[in-house]
Amino acid sequence: MVSKRIQKALLGNSAIRAMFVEGKAMAEKYGAENVYDFSLGNPATPAPAALNDSIRDLLDEADKKGAAGSLELHGYMENAGYKDVREAIAANLNKRFGTAFDDHNIVMTVGAAGGLNIIFKTVLDPGDEVIVFAPFFGEYRQYAANFDSEIVTVNPDLKTFLPDLNDFEAKITEKTKALIVNTPNNPTGVIYKPETMEAIASILEKKQKEFGHDIYLVSDEPYRELVYDGNKEDFLTKYYKNTIVGYSFSKSLSLPGERIGYVVVPNEASDAEELIRGIEISNRTLGFVNAPSLIQKAVARCLDEKTDVSFYDENRTMLYDGLTELGFTCIKPEGAFYLWVKSPVDNEEEFVEEGKKLHLLMVKGSAFGCGGFVRLAYCVSHETVKNSLRAFEKLAQVYGLK
Protein backbone atom coordinates (compact mmCIF):
# COMPACT_ATOMS: atom_id res chain seq x y z
CA MET A 1 0.00 0.00 0.00
CA VAL A 2 1.28 3.49 -0.84
CA SER A 3 1.86 6.00 1.94
CA LYS A 4 -0.96 8.09 3.38
CA ARG A 5 0.79 11.20 2.04
CA ILE A 6 0.70 9.84 -1.50
CA GLN A 7 -2.88 8.63 -1.10
CA LYS A 8 -3.81 12.21 -0.31
CA ALA A 9 -1.76 13.51 -3.23
CA LEU A 10 -3.50 11.08 -5.60
CA LEU A 11 -6.86 12.54 -4.61
CA GLY A 12 -5.62 16.00 -5.52
CA ASN A 13 -3.75 15.01 -8.68
CA SER A 14 -3.12 17.84 -11.13
CA ALA A 15 -6.22 18.80 -13.11
CA ILE A 16 -3.92 20.36 -15.70
CA ARG A 17 -2.02 17.14 -16.34
CA ALA A 18 -5.24 15.11 -16.34
CA MET A 19 -6.71 17.40 -19.00
CA PHE A 20 -3.51 17.20 -21.02
CA VAL A 21 -3.67 13.39 -21.04
CA GLU A 22 -7.34 13.54 -22.02
CA GLY A 23 -6.43 15.89 -24.85
CA LYS A 24 -3.89 13.43 -26.21
CA ALA A 25 -6.56 10.72 -26.29
CA MET A 26 -9.02 13.04 -28.03
CA ALA A 27 -6.42 14.02 -30.62
CA GLU A 28 -5.82 10.37 -31.48
CA LYS A 29 -9.55 9.77 -31.82
CA TYR A 30 -10.62 12.91 -33.69
CA GLY A 31 -7.36 14.18 -35.21
CA ALA A 32 -5.12 16.80 -33.59
CA GLU A 33 -6.40 19.51 -35.95
CA ASN A 34 -9.93 18.99 -34.59
CA VAL A 35 -9.01 19.30 -30.89
CA TYR A 36 -8.38 22.69 -29.28
CA ASP A 37 -6.18 21.90 -26.32
CA PHE A 38 -5.64 24.90 -24.04
CA SER A 39 -4.72 22.78 -21.02
CA LEU A 40 -0.94 22.78 -20.55
CA GLY A 41 1.53 25.68 -20.41
CA ASN A 42 3.86 23.98 -22.89
CA PRO A 43 5.67 26.65 -24.97
CA ALA A 44 4.73 26.73 -28.64
CA THR A 45 7.82 28.61 -29.81
CA PRO A 46 11.05 26.68 -30.41
CA ALA A 47 14.16 27.13 -28.32
CA PRO A 48 16.44 29.83 -29.79
CA ALA A 49 18.82 28.55 -32.45
CA ALA A 50 21.69 29.83 -30.31
CA LEU A 51 20.73 27.35 -27.58
CA ASN A 52 20.96 24.37 -29.91
CA ASP A 53 24.21 25.73 -31.32
CA SER A 54 25.60 26.06 -27.80
CA ILE A 55 24.84 22.42 -27.04
CA ARG A 56 26.61 21.32 -30.23
CA ASP A 57 29.58 23.58 -29.49
CA LEU A 58 29.88 22.27 -25.95
CA LEU A 59 29.89 18.68 -27.16
CA ASP A 60 32.46 19.47 -29.87
CA GLU A 61 34.68 21.26 -27.37
CA ALA A 62 34.47 18.32 -24.97
CA ASP A 63 35.31 15.87 -27.77
CA LYS A 64 38.44 17.85 -28.64
CA LYS A 65 39.61 17.49 -25.03
CA GLY A 66 39.03 13.74 -25.13
CA ALA A 67 38.06 11.79 -22.03
CA ALA A 68 38.95 14.68 -19.73
CA GLY A 69 36.59 16.99 -21.62
CA SER A 70 33.74 14.53 -21.43
CA LEU A 71 34.25 14.00 -17.71
CA GLU A 72 34.30 17.75 -17.14
CA LEU A 73 31.10 18.38 -19.12
CA HIS A 74 29.07 15.44 -17.87
CA GLY A 75 30.45 14.98 -14.36
CA TYR A 76 29.50 16.13 -10.90
CA MET A 77 30.14 19.67 -9.76
CA GLU A 78 29.32 21.64 -6.61
CA ASN A 79 25.72 21.14 -5.47
CA ALA A 80 25.15 24.81 -6.30
CA GLY A 81 26.18 24.25 -9.93
CA TYR A 82 29.13 25.26 -12.07
CA LYS A 83 30.84 28.37 -10.73
CA ASP A 84 31.28 29.93 -14.19
CA VAL A 85 27.57 29.41 -14.96
CA ARG A 86 26.55 31.07 -11.69
CA GLU A 87 28.96 33.94 -12.36
CA ALA A 88 27.40 34.48 -15.79
CA ILE A 89 23.86 34.51 -14.39
CA ALA A 90 24.79 36.90 -11.58
CA ALA A 91 26.44 39.29 -14.07
CA ASN A 92 23.40 39.13 -16.36
CA LEU A 93 21.00 39.94 -13.52
CA ASN A 94 23.23 42.79 -12.35
CA LYS A 95 23.28 44.27 -15.85
CA ARG A 96 19.52 44.03 -16.30
CA PHE A 97 18.21 44.90 -12.84
CA GLY A 98 20.96 46.87 -11.11
CA THR A 99 21.57 44.16 -8.51
CA ALA A 100 24.91 43.29 -6.94
CA PHE A 101 25.04 39.49 -7.00
CA ASP A 102 27.99 37.19 -7.48
CA ASP A 103 28.19 33.44 -8.01
CA HIS A 104 27.63 32.61 -4.34
CA ASN A 105 24.11 34.18 -4.46
CA ILE A 106 23.04 31.72 -7.17
CA VAL A 107 22.11 28.03 -6.86
CA MET A 108 21.34 26.15 -10.07
CA THR A 109 18.17 24.06 -9.80
CA VAL A 110 16.09 21.41 -11.54
CA GLY A 111 13.61 23.96 -12.86
CA ALA A 112 11.51 26.36 -10.80
CA ALA A 113 9.67 23.46 -9.16
CA GLY A 114 12.94 22.02 -7.87
CA GLY A 115 13.90 25.52 -6.77
CA LEU A 116 10.73 26.06 -4.75
CA ASN A 117 11.09 22.67 -3.09
CA ILE A 118 14.66 23.28 -1.97
CA ILE A 119 13.66 26.73 -0.68
CA PHE A 120 10.78 25.23 1.28
CA LYS A 121 12.92 22.42 2.68
CA THR A 122 15.34 25.07 3.91
CA VAL A 123 12.89 27.46 5.55
CA LEU A 124 9.80 25.45 6.57
CA ASP A 125 9.17 23.51 9.76
CA PRO A 126 6.16 21.21 10.26
CA GLY A 127 3.08 23.29 11.00
CA ASP A 128 4.36 26.43 9.27
CA GLU A 129 2.04 28.24 6.88
CA VAL A 130 2.73 29.48 3.34
CA ILE A 131 0.48 32.24 2.04
CA VAL A 132 -0.61 32.18 -1.61
CA PHE A 133 -2.59 34.72 -3.61
CA ALA A 134 -5.57 33.15 -5.37
CA PRO A 135 -5.72 32.15 -8.11
CA PHE A 136 -2.40 30.29 -7.90
CA PHE A 137 -0.48 27.42 -9.50
CA GLY A 138 -2.06 24.38 -7.85
CA GLU A 139 1.19 22.50 -7.28
CA TYR A 140 2.05 24.98 -4.52
CA ARG A 141 -0.24 22.90 -2.30
CA GLN A 142 1.91 19.80 -2.80
CA TYR A 143 5.20 21.67 -2.47
CA ALA A 144 4.19 22.95 0.97
CA ALA A 145 2.73 19.59 1.99
CA ASN A 146 6.06 17.93 1.14
CA PHE A 147 7.40 19.60 4.27
CA ASP A 148 4.31 19.18 6.48
CA SER A 149 3.20 22.76 5.97
CA GLU A 150 -0.11 24.21 4.86
CA ILE A 151 -1.02 26.89 2.36
CA VAL A 152 -3.28 29.77 3.36
CA THR A 153 -5.21 31.36 0.50
CA VAL A 154 -5.70 35.11 0.13
CA ASN A 155 -8.74 36.18 -1.87
CA PRO A 156 -8.35 38.26 -5.02
CA ASP A 157 -10.07 41.46 -6.03
CA LEU A 158 -12.41 39.93 -8.60
CA LYS A 159 -12.22 43.00 -10.85
CA THR A 160 -8.44 43.26 -11.13
CA PHE A 161 -7.30 39.85 -9.85
CA LEU A 162 -4.71 41.57 -7.72
CA PRO A 163 -4.59 40.30 -4.13
CA ASP A 164 -6.99 41.72 -1.57
CA LEU A 165 -4.37 43.31 0.67
CA ASN A 166 -6.70 43.64 3.65
CA ASP A 167 -7.36 39.91 3.47
CA PHE A 168 -3.62 39.32 3.10
CA GLU A 169 -2.76 41.27 6.24
CA ALA A 170 -5.51 39.54 8.21
CA LYS A 171 -4.27 36.07 7.26
CA ILE A 172 -0.66 36.52 8.36
CA THR A 173 -0.26 34.71 11.68
CA GLU A 174 2.44 33.53 14.05
CA LYS A 175 2.68 30.42 11.85
CA THR A 176 3.32 32.33 8.61
CA LYS A 177 6.79 31.54 7.29
CA ALA A 178 6.55 32.47 3.62
CA LEU A 179 4.50 34.13 0.91
CA ILE A 180 4.62 33.03 -2.72
CA VAL A 181 4.35 35.77 -5.35
CA ASN A 182 3.98 34.79 -9.00
CA THR A 183 4.08 37.70 -11.43
CA PRO A 184 3.27 37.66 -14.31
CA ASN A 185 0.68 35.37 -12.83
CA ASN A 186 -0.33 31.86 -13.74
CA PRO A 187 -3.32 31.57 -14.39
CA THR A 188 -4.50 35.19 -14.90
CA GLY A 189 -1.62 36.87 -16.74
CA VAL A 190 -1.91 39.79 -14.28
CA ILE A 191 1.28 41.69 -13.38
CA TYR A 192 1.85 43.00 -9.86
CA LYS A 193 3.02 46.57 -10.45
CA PRO A 194 5.52 48.41 -8.18
CA GLU A 195 2.78 49.99 -6.06
CA THR A 196 1.32 46.56 -5.31
CA MET A 197 4.71 45.10 -4.45
CA GLU A 198 5.53 48.07 -2.21
CA ALA A 199 2.25 47.57 -0.34
CA ILE A 200 2.94 43.84 0.06
CA ALA A 201 6.45 44.57 1.33
CA SER A 202 5.15 47.11 3.83
CA ILE A 203 2.68 44.59 5.27
CA LEU A 204 5.38 41.92 5.53
CA GLU A 205 7.77 44.29 7.30
CA LYS A 206 5.04 45.21 9.78
CA LYS A 207 4.18 41.56 10.47
CA GLN A 208 7.81 40.52 10.88
CA LYS A 209 8.14 43.08 13.67
CA GLU A 210 4.81 42.06 15.21
CA PHE A 211 5.65 38.34 15.35
CA GLY A 212 9.41 38.66 15.86
CA HIS A 213 10.52 36.27 13.12
CA ASP A 214 11.42 36.36 9.44
CA ILE A 215 8.74 35.96 6.78
CA TYR A 216 10.17 35.12 3.36
CA LEU A 217 8.76 36.39 0.09
CA VAL A 218 9.35 33.60 -2.43
CA SER A 219 9.18 35.02 -5.95
CA ASP A 220 8.26 32.34 -8.48
CA GLU A 221 9.40 33.82 -11.81
CA PRO A 222 9.06 31.47 -14.80
CA TYR A 223 7.18 34.12 -16.81
CA ARG A 224 9.39 37.10 -15.97
CA GLU A 225 10.27 37.88 -19.61
CA LEU A 226 6.80 37.27 -21.09
CA VAL A 227 5.24 40.75 -20.82
CA TYR A 228 3.08 42.82 -23.19
CA ASP A 229 1.77 46.35 -23.79
CA GLY A 230 4.94 48.11 -22.70
CA ASN A 231 5.13 46.42 -19.30
CA LYS A 232 8.66 45.98 -17.98
CA GLU A 233 10.40 42.94 -16.56
CA ASP A 234 10.80 43.31 -12.82
CA PHE A 235 12.98 41.74 -10.13
CA LEU A 236 11.41 41.67 -6.69
CA THR A 237 14.45 41.70 -4.39
CA LYS A 238 14.41 45.51 -4.50
CA TYR A 239 11.10 45.71 -2.66
CA TYR A 240 11.76 43.48 0.35
CA LYS A 241 15.06 42.24 1.70
CA ASN A 242 13.82 38.77 2.71
CA THR A 243 13.02 37.85 -0.89
CA ILE A 244 14.21 34.57 -2.40
CA VAL A 245 13.84 34.19 -6.17
CA GLY A 246 13.07 30.95 -7.99
CA TYR A 247 13.51 31.10 -11.76
CA SER A 248 13.12 28.72 -14.68
CA PHE A 249 14.28 28.87 -18.29
CA SER A 250 11.25 26.74 -19.25
CA LYS A 251 9.27 29.63 -20.73
CA SER A 252 11.91 32.25 -21.55
CA LEU A 253 13.93 29.81 -23.66
CA SER A 254 11.16 27.23 -24.34
CA LEU A 255 12.94 24.49 -22.38
CA PRO A 256 10.32 22.98 -20.03
CA GLY A 257 11.54 19.41 -20.47
CA GLU A 258 15.17 20.28 -19.73
CA ARG A 259 14.32 21.19 -16.11
CA ILE A 260 16.79 24.01 -15.63
CA GLY A 261 16.54 27.09 -13.43
CA TYR A 262 18.13 28.80 -10.46
CA VAL A 263 17.50 30.26 -7.01
CA VAL A 264 18.77 33.69 -5.94
CA VAL A 265 19.38 34.62 -2.30
CA PRO A 266 20.41 38.28 -1.91
CA ASN A 267 23.02 39.26 0.67
CA GLU A 268 20.42 41.52 2.32
CA ALA A 269 18.25 38.56 3.39
CA SER A 270 18.40 37.63 7.05
CA ASP A 271 20.95 34.87 7.67
CA ALA A 272 21.75 34.91 3.93
CA GLU A 273 24.82 32.68 4.21
CA GLU A 274 22.94 30.09 6.22
CA LEU A 275 20.06 30.23 3.73
CA ILE A 276 22.40 29.67 0.80
CA ARG A 277 24.15 26.75 2.46
CA GLY A 278 20.81 25.27 3.45
CA ILE A 279 19.49 25.53 -0.10
CA GLU A 280 22.64 23.84 -1.42
CA ILE A 281 22.26 21.00 1.09
CA SER A 282 18.57 20.67 0.24
CA ASN A 283 19.48 20.35 -3.44
CA ARG A 284 21.54 17.30 -2.52
CA THR A 285 19.36 15.71 0.13
CA LEU A 286 16.16 15.93 -1.92
CA GLY A 287 17.96 13.88 -4.54
CA PHE A 288 18.43 16.53 -7.21
CA VAL A 289 22.18 16.57 -6.28
CA ASN A 290 22.82 19.25 -8.90
CA ALA A 291 21.10 20.72 -11.94
CA PRO A 292 21.82 18.91 -15.25
CA SER A 293 25.37 19.69 -16.31
CA LEU A 294 25.14 20.08 -20.09
CA ILE A 295 22.08 22.34 -20.04
CA GLN A 296 23.64 24.49 -17.29
CA LYS A 297 26.55 25.26 -19.59
CA ALA A 298 24.25 25.81 -22.58
CA VAL A 299 21.92 28.34 -20.96
CA ALA A 300 24.89 30.28 -19.59
CA ARG A 301 25.84 31.06 -23.20
CA CYS A 302 22.30 32.20 -24.06
CA LEU A 303 21.32 34.54 -21.25
CA ASP A 304 20.49 37.39 -23.63
CA GLU A 305 18.35 35.18 -25.88
CA LYS A 306 14.56 35.44 -25.67
CA THR A 307 11.57 33.50 -26.85
CA ASP A 308 9.32 35.09 -29.48
CA VAL A 309 6.96 37.08 -27.26
CA SER A 310 5.25 38.53 -30.35
CA PHE A 311 4.02 35.02 -31.18
CA TYR A 312 2.18 34.79 -27.87
CA ASP A 313 1.00 38.38 -28.15
CA GLU A 314 -0.71 37.57 -31.44
CA ASN A 315 -2.48 34.61 -29.83
CA ARG A 316 -3.38 36.71 -26.80
CA THR A 317 -5.03 39.37 -28.94
CA MET A 318 -6.81 36.91 -31.21
CA LEU A 319 -8.22 34.86 -28.34
CA TYR A 320 -9.12 37.76 -26.03
CA ASP A 321 -10.81 39.77 -28.80
CA GLY A 322 -12.55 36.71 -30.19
CA LEU A 323 -13.98 35.57 -26.86
CA THR A 324 -15.07 39.00 -25.67
CA GLU A 325 -16.85 39.59 -28.99
CA LEU A 326 -18.72 36.32 -28.38
CA GLY A 327 -19.89 37.59 -24.99
CA PHE A 328 -17.41 35.88 -22.67
CA THR A 329 -15.90 37.86 -19.79
CA CYS A 330 -12.09 37.66 -19.71
CA ILE A 331 -9.24 39.25 -17.76
CA LYS A 332 -6.90 40.76 -20.37
CA PRO A 333 -3.46 39.27 -19.66
CA GLU A 334 -0.48 41.61 -19.26
CA GLY A 335 2.04 38.77 -19.24
CA ALA A 336 2.59 34.98 -19.33
CA PHE A 337 0.46 33.03 -21.86
CA TYR A 338 -2.82 32.34 -20.11
CA LEU A 339 -6.33 33.74 -20.47
CA TRP A 340 -8.59 33.73 -17.39
CA VAL A 341 -12.23 33.41 -18.46
CA LYS A 342 -15.34 33.71 -16.31
CA SER A 343 -17.60 30.68 -16.54
CA PRO A 344 -21.14 31.51 -17.74
CA VAL A 345 -22.41 29.23 -14.92
CA ASP A 346 -21.40 29.12 -11.26
CA ASN A 347 -20.05 25.57 -11.52
CA GLU A 348 -17.18 25.93 -13.97
CA GLU A 349 -16.73 22.16 -14.15
CA GLU A 350 -20.05 22.01 -16.00
CA PHE A 351 -18.68 24.62 -18.42
CA VAL A 352 -15.48 22.60 -18.89
CA GLU A 353 -17.49 19.46 -19.67
CA GLU A 354 -19.67 21.34 -22.15
CA GLY A 355 -16.50 22.58 -23.86
CA LYS A 356 -15.20 19.03 -24.21
CA LYS A 357 -18.24 18.19 -26.36
CA LEU A 358 -16.86 20.71 -28.84
CA HIS A 359 -13.28 19.44 -28.38
CA LEU A 360 -12.32 22.51 -26.35
CA LEU A 361 -10.01 21.66 -23.44
CA MET A 362 -10.02 24.20 -20.61
CA VAL A 363 -8.77 23.85 -17.02
CA LYS A 364 -11.21 24.49 -14.17
CA GLY A 365 -10.52 27.49 -11.97
CA SER A 366 -10.91 25.50 -8.76
CA ALA A 367 -7.61 23.80 -9.65
CA PHE A 368 -6.09 27.25 -9.03
CA GLY A 369 -8.01 27.90 -5.83
CA CYS A 370 -10.58 30.12 -7.52
CA GLY A 371 -13.79 28.54 -8.79
CA GLY A 372 -16.14 30.10 -11.32
CA PHE A 373 -13.40 30.64 -13.94
CA VAL A 374 -11.39 28.59 -16.41
CA ARG A 375 -7.83 28.93 -17.69
CA LEU A 376 -6.86 28.80 -21.34
CA ALA A 377 -3.16 28.30 -22.12
CA TYR A 378 -2.73 30.07 -25.46
CA CYS A 379 0.82 28.78 -25.99
CA VAL A 380 -0.50 26.90 -29.03
CA SER A 381 -0.32 27.43 -32.77
CA HIS A 382 -2.04 30.42 -34.36
CA GLU A 383 -4.17 27.95 -36.31
CA THR A 384 -5.41 26.32 -33.12
CA VAL A 385 -6.54 29.67 -31.71
CA LYS A 386 -8.15 30.75 -34.98
CA ASN A 387 -9.97 27.48 -35.55
CA SER A 388 -11.09 27.21 -31.92
CA LEU A 389 -13.17 30.36 -32.22
CA ARG A 390 -15.79 28.49 -34.24
CA ALA A 391 -16.14 26.02 -31.38
CA PHE A 392 -16.26 28.85 -28.83
CA GLU A 393 -19.03 30.46 -30.88
CA LYS A 394 -21.09 27.27 -30.52
CA LEU A 395 -20.29 27.20 -26.81
CA ALA A 396 -21.44 30.79 -26.44
CA GLN A 397 -24.74 29.82 -28.10
CA VAL A 398 -25.22 27.02 -25.57
CA TYR A 399 -25.20 29.64 -22.79
CA GLY A 400 -27.14 32.32 -24.66
CA LEU A 401 -24.21 34.74 -24.86
CA LYS A 402 -23.89 37.42 -27.49
Side-chain angles (χ1 to χ4, degrees):
M1 179 180 287
V2 300
S3 70
K4 292 178 181 178
R5 186 192 297 270
I6 291 300
Q7 288 177 37
K8 185 177 179 180
L10 288 171
L11 292 173
N13 195 24
S14 172
I16 302 170
R17 287 284 172 173
M19 188 67 73
F20 176 66
V21 171
E22 190 169 351
K24 290 289 188 183
M26 288 178 67
E28 289 182 10
K29 184 175 181 180
Y30 301 110
E33 72 280 5
N34 299 313
V35 176
Y36 315 110
D37 187 351
F38 295 100
S39 63
L40 192 63
N42 199 19
T45 57
L51 189 283
N52 294 332
D53 291 342
S54 293
I55 292 173
R56 295 187 190 97
D57 291 345
L58 285 161
L59 293 173
D60 288 343
E61 291 165 16
D63 286 344
K64 289 176 182 176
K65 296 178 182 177
S70 180
L71 289 171
E72 178 185 352
L73 182 60
H74 300 300
Y76 285 129
M77 77 294 297
E78 298 173 53
N79 295 131
Y82 287 116
K83 181 178 172 64
D84 61 323
V85 171
R86 292 181 286 123
E87 287 174 341
I89 289 171
N92 181 265
L93 292 173
N94 295 342
K95 178 178 71 175
R96 293 165 61 196
F97 300 112
T99 49
F101 303 131
D102 59 31
D103 62 282
H104 102 288
N105 298 109
I106 312 294
V107 177
M108 301 304 297
T109 66
V110 181
L116 291 181
N117 273 277
I118 62 176
I119 292 168
F120 283 175
K121 182 172 177 62
T122 302
V123 305
L124 295 179
D125 287 310
D128 282 344
E129 293 177 348
V130 177
I131 291 181
V132 295
F133 293 147
F136 57 90
F137 180 51
E139 298 291 284
Y140 293 160
R141 294 186 184 96
Q142 282 70 43
Y143 300 165
N146 285 342
F147 308 101
D148 298 311
S149 297
E150 298 284 342
I151 65 163
V152 174
T153 303
V154 170
N155 297 321
D157 177 323
L158 292 177
K159 292 183 179 178
T160 64
F161 276 92
L162 291 170
D164 179 333
L165 295 182
N166 290 326
D167 191 45
F168 170 48
E169 184 166 0
K171 285 180 174 170
I172 300 175
T173 72
E174 176 68 37
K175 294 181 179 180
T176 303
K177 196 62 167 291
L179 159 71
I180 303 178
V181 170
N182 173 223
T183 176
N185 178 258
N186 172 14
T188 65
V190 167
I191 291 175
Y192 297 175
K193 305 291 176 34
E195 57 269 24
T196 297
M197 290 309 310
E198 288 165 0
I200 290 169
S202 177
I203 292 169
L204 288 173
E205 293 283 6
K206 174 183 173 183
K207 290 297 183 177
Q208 281 191 143
K209 291 177 182 177
E210 179 180 341
F211 294 119
H213 66 74
D214 295 320
I215 301 173
Y216 296 101
L217 190 162
V218 179
S219 181
D220 182 24
E221 301 189 0
Y223 305 99
R224 184 203 297 149
E225 285 80 16
L226 272 64
V227 294
Y228 314 108
D229 299 333
N231 284 292
K232 304 296 184 184
E233 300 166 21
D234 205 357
F235 200 75
L236 304 193
T237 58
K238 67 186 176 187
Y239 298 106
Y240 181 68
K241 73 172 189 175
N242 276 336
T243 297
I244 306 173
V245 175
Y247 180 78
S248 169
F249 292 96
S250 292
K251 319 301 182 182
S252 61
L253 294 181
S254 296
L255 298 174
E258 300 296 350
R259 312 310 306 138
I260 185 69
Y262 57 80
V263 164
V264 183
V265 179
N267 293 329
E268 295 77 23
S270 299
D271 302 316
E273 297 306 313
E274 199 170 50
L275 270 176
I276 293 167
R277 298 289 85 77
I279 287 170
E280 291 175 357
I281 290 169
S282 296
N283 218 11
R284 183 179 77 246
T285 59
L286 280 178
F288 299 120
V289 182
N290 54 255
S293 60
L294 173 60
I295 202 68
Q296 276 193 58
K297 292 283 191 178
V299 296
R301 297 185 178 192
C302 299
L303 296 173
D304 291 321
E305 297 291 328
K306 293 184 182 295
T307 193
D308 183 3
V309 177
S310 66
F311 178 95
Y312 297 122
D313 195 11
E314 183 176 338
N315 279 358
R316 175 185 74 124
T317 301
M318 193 186 334
L319 191 59
Y320 176 82
D321 289 350
L323 293 191
T324 53
E325 286 173 9
L326 290 171
F328 292 100
T329 300
C330 312
I331 300 299
K332 189 169 187 179
E334 301 170 299
F337 42 47
Y338 304 108
L339 186 65
W340 191 237
V341 183
K342 185 172 177 57
S343 169
V345 289
D346 291 340
N347 181 1
E348 85 275 10
E349 293 191 41
E350 175 191 320
F351 181 50
V352 168
E353 291 302 315
E354 200 66 41
K356 287 181 190 177
K357 297 176 184 178
L358 298 165
H359 304 168
L360 289 164
L361 298 181
M362 307 174 285
V363 181
K364 61 183 181 180
S366 55
F368 304 95
C370 190
F373 292 81
V374 297
R375 189 194 77 171
L376 306 180
Y378 55 82
C379 46
V380 295
S381 69
H382 297 323
E383 292 74 18
T384 295
V385 175
K386 181 179 179 181
N387 294 336
S388 74
L389 293 176
R390 293 193 295 268
F392 277 115
E393 183 175 9
K394 293 177 182 177
L395 190 58
Q397 291 169 356
V398 170
Y399 292 100
L401 302 181
K402 181 180 176 182

